[in-house]
Amino acid sequence: MRHSLPLAPQFYVTAPQPCPYLEGRMERKLFTALQGDNAQGLNDALSQQGFRRSQNVLYRPSCTDCNLCFSARIDVSKFSVSKNQKRIVKRNQYLTRRPTSPWATEEQFDLFRTYLDNRHADGGMADMDVFEFAAMIEETPIRSRVIEYRNEETDLLTAVCLTDVIEDGVSMVYSFYQPDLQRQSLGTFLILDHIYIAHDVGLPYVYLGYWVPGSQKMAYKARFSGLELYVDNKWQPYETLKDDPILERRCATDSIAQQVSNIALPPS
C-alpha cells in the first residue's frame, strides 16, 4: 500500500522536562515535522511566528505554566552599532568569513566538542557524538549554510555558525567558537557579522532564537539595538517591552488547540 505525507502539517507536544534557562521550571515544546515539497515555505512562515528549526523539526516553547521564552530577531534597518560593538568588530578583523554548504567536518566537530566541554558541559547537547553532530549540520530540507570564521594568517577554524536563509532574513540556528578567546566576544561578533550579511543581501531581519527575561545566558541579546520579540502573536520592539513588569509574570493561557489554530500556514 502506498502512503503519502499529510497535506497539512501535524503538530505534537513533547513531554515536560527541566527548563535549561530558568531553574525549577519545566519546559514543553510544540513541534511539527519539516518535510515535503513545501518545507522551505513552512520554515519561512513558522519562523515568522516564533518557531525555530532543529534538523527536520520546527518547534516553539509551549509550557504549561510559563510563557517566558520569547523569539527574538533584529530589525536590520533599526540596528545601530554601539561603541563597544565597534571595538568587538575591530578585535576580530583577523577573521575571514567562509560560507560553505551544510556538510560536517572533523575540524568542525573538534571545535564543537571543545566549545561544549568548556561552556555547556551540563547542557542538553553535552553528550552529542560525531554522528549526531553531522545530523545537526546536514539534515536540512531548506536553504542552509555553514559559515566558518578562520584566522586569515594561520587558517585556524575559530568560529562556526549554522545559518538558514529564509524569506525575510537569516536565522542563526546554532553557533560555536573557541571558548578561550573570551576577550574577542565571539558570540557577539557572530551576530554582528550576520547583521552585515543580511544588510548586504537585502534581507530585513536576523533571527536569534529565544530571549528569556531573568536568564543570564540570554542577557547579551538585549544589547543589540533594533531587537524585536514575538509577544502575543506579533513582533514588538524590545524597547517598548523591556520596562513592562507584566513581561516577566506572563503565564501560558492558551490551550494547545488554540495555539495551533492561531498558526498561519503557507499555501500548499
Side-chain angles (χ1 to χ4, degrees), residues 40 43-44 140-145 163-167:
Q40 184 69 52
N43 187 57
D44 290 345
T140 170
I142 63 165
R143 294 191 298 270
S144 299
R145 295 291 182 269
T163 303
D164 288 346
V165 182
I166 60 178
E167 181 182 36

Side-chain angles (χ1 to χ4, degrees), residues 20-22 68 210-220 248:
Y21 305 118
L22 298 175
L68 290 174
Y210 294 105
W211 176 80
V212 182
S215 170
Q216 289 302 311
K217 293 180 181 179
M218 299 293 188
Y220 70 96
E248 296 195 27

Side-chain angles (χ1 to χ4, degrees), residues 3-238:
H3 297 275
S4 60
L5 295 174
L7 295 178
Q10 305 297 300
F11 288 87
Y12 307 91
V13 180
T14 63
Q17 58 185 0
C19 176
Y21 305 118
L22 298 175
E23 187 176 354
R25 303 205 183 195
M26 302 295 287
E27 72 164 0
R28 189 180 66 170
K29 295 184 177 73
L30 178 69
F31 70 96
T32 188
L34 184 60
Q35 59 189 0
D37 296 336
N38 198 30
Q40 184 69 52
L42 182 63
N43 187 57
D44 290 345
L46 267 61
S47 293
Q48 294 166 11
Q49 297 172 76
F51 280 76
R52 295 287 290 168
R53 183 181 74 83
S54 177
Q55 294 171 236
N56 58 358
V57 170
L58 291 171
Y59 69 91
R60 188 172 71 183
S62 179
C63 303
T64 304
D65 54 7
C66 176
N67 192 12
L68 290 174
C69 288
F70 301 103
S71 189
R73 72 182 185 184
I74 295 171
D75 184 336
V76 175
S77 68
K78 297 179 180 177
F79 171 75
S80 177
V81 62
S82 68
K83 291 182 179 179
N84 183 58
Q85 289 167 345
K86 286 181 180 178
R87 288 192 288 268
I88 291 172
V89 171
K90 187 174 182 179
R91 285 200 295 267
N92 288 287
Q93 286 181 334
Y94 70 98
L95 294 178
T96 299
R97 181 205 305 153
R98 296 184 187 177
T100 69
S101 59
W103 186 256
T105 67
E106 290 186 13
E107 186 181 26
Q108 293 169 5
F109 179 68
D110 289 343
L111 178 59
F112 174 74
R113 284 291 353 151
T114 300
Y115 173 78
L116 285 185
D117 292 343
N118 281 267
R119 293 293 184 91
H120 303 286
D122 57 349
M125 304 173 73
D127 295 328
M128 283 182 65
D129 60 26
V130 66
F131 301 106
E132 292 168 320
F133 173 76
M136 180 181 76
I137 297 294
E138 298 172 9
E139 290 186 10
T140 170
I142 63 165
R143 294 191 298 270
S144 299
R145 295 291 182 269
V146 173
I147 303 180
E148 297 184 342
Y149 295 84
R150 293 179 176 273
N151 186 312
E152 61 183 0
E153 294 185 0
T154 66
D155 202 41
L156 178 68
L157 183 63
T158 303
V160 175
C161 187
L162 175 61
T163 303
D164 288 346
V165 182
I166 60 178
E167 181 182 36
D168 65 349
V170 292
S171 178
M172 301 178 69
V173 178
Y174 192 77
S175 59
F176 51 95
Y177 43 84
Q178 289 286 352
D180 57 343
L181 301 177
Q182 294 186 14
R183 185 176 179 276
Q184 304 306 112
S185 301
L186 288 169
T188 295
F189 171 72
L190 292 182
I191 294 176
L192 291 168
D193 194 61
H194 276 70
I195 293 172
Y196 301 141
I197 291 172
H199 178 270
D200 289 346
V201 298
L203 292 172
Y205 300 108
V206 176
Y207 288 81
L208 302 180
Y210 294 105
W211 176 80
V212 182
S215 170
Q216 289 302 311
K217 293 180 181 179
M218 299 293 188
Y220 70 96
K221 296 181 181 180
R223 302 187 189 115
F224 289 86
S225 58
L227 185 69
E228 297 182 344
L229 303 179
Y230 193 72
V231 180
D232 296 332
N233 297 317
K234 60 184 178 181
W235 292 98
Q236 302 184 47
Y238 170 73

